[in-house]
């Protein structure tokens, strides 16, 4: 089994090779504006998972996924030629969910900011239901001690 450092280096090489191939050699008209965001290789160097994003709508994402799936053999062959290891890893393309998750988080943060602003506006003129400071202080404790000593 290969060490994780070697798998990381191999994944970085594969990411660069695939990005260059998509830019120059793969001429599929279905392929949209694809960005390779990450590549990961298993510890035994047998499987490479390549994460990508596509700029565009859902149809362009589907077309790009189809184009990448059909070009995976050519891409694997080129990866094998350029990395020069005994066994060429299989190549699997997976759409990266980071942009969707980031958009979802941004939406949640906007909602929270709006609620915080509403709460701040509602509490601007509010007063305390009881005392402003409901906790006992040292002066209160001294007073109770003095009362307790008189009873004995």
């Amino acid at each position: 089994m290969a060490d994780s450092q070697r798998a990381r280096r191999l994944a970085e090489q594969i990411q660069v090779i695939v990005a260059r191939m998509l830019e120059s050699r793969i001429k599929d008209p279905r392929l949209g504006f694809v960005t390779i965001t990450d590549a990961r290789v298993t510890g035994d160097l047998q499987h490479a998972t390549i994460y990508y994003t596509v700029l565009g709508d859902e149809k362009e994402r589907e077309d790009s996924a189809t184009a990448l799936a059909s070009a995976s053999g050519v891409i694997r062959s080129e990866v094998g030629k350029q990395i020069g290891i005994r066994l060429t890893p299989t190549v699997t393309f997976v759409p990266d969910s980071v942009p969707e998750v980031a958009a979802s988080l941004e939406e949640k943060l906007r909602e929270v900011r709006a609620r915080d602003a509403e709460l701040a506006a509602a509490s601007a003129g509010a007063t305390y239901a009881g005392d402003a400071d409901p906790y006992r202080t040292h002066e209160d404790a001294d007073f109770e001690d003095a009362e307790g000593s008189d009873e004995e």
Side-chain angles (χ1 to χ4, degrees), residues 91-113:
V91 176
T92 306
F93 288 96
V94 176
D96 199 349
S97 62
V98 170
E100 290 84 15
V101 171
S104 171
L105 286 175
E106 284 295 325
E107 179 61 30
K108 297 291 182 193
L109 286 173
R110 270 193 293 277
E111 290 174 10
V112 168
R113 285 187 199 112

Side-chain angles (χ1 to χ4, degrees), residues 12-110:
E12 290 171 3
Q13 286 180 323
I14 289 173
Q15 182 177 355
V16 170
I17 292 167
V18 171
R20 286 185 183 153
M21 282 195 69
L22 292 178
E23 185 178 331
S24 61
R25 286 194 50 201
I26 307 298
K27 301 296 181 192
D28 195 329
R30 298 173 295 182
L31 194 62
F33 189 71
V34 176
T35 302
I36 304 298
T37 56
D38 194 16
R40 295 191 184 148
V41 177
T42 57
D44 61 358
L45 308 179
Q46 296 297 307
H47 306 285
T49 304
I50 301 168
Y51 296 91
Y52 69 94
T53 59
V54 179
L55 185 65
D57 61 358
E58 189 62 34
K59 182 176 180 345
E60 290 174 345
R61 288 187 195 122
E62 291 172 5
D63 290 346
S64 294
T66 305
L68 288 171
S70 68
S72 63
V74 174
I75 292 172
R76 180 177 183 219
S77 174
E78 186 64 28
V79 166
K81 288 178 190 173
Q82 290 192 27
I83 61 174
I85 60 174
R86 186 171 62 92
L87 295 172
T88 303
T90 60
V91 176
T92 306
F93 288 96
V94 176
D96 199 349
S97 62
V98 170
E100 290 84 15
V101 171
S104 171
L105 286 175
E106 284 295 325
E107 179 61 30
K108 297 291 182 193
L109 286 173
R110 270 193 293 277

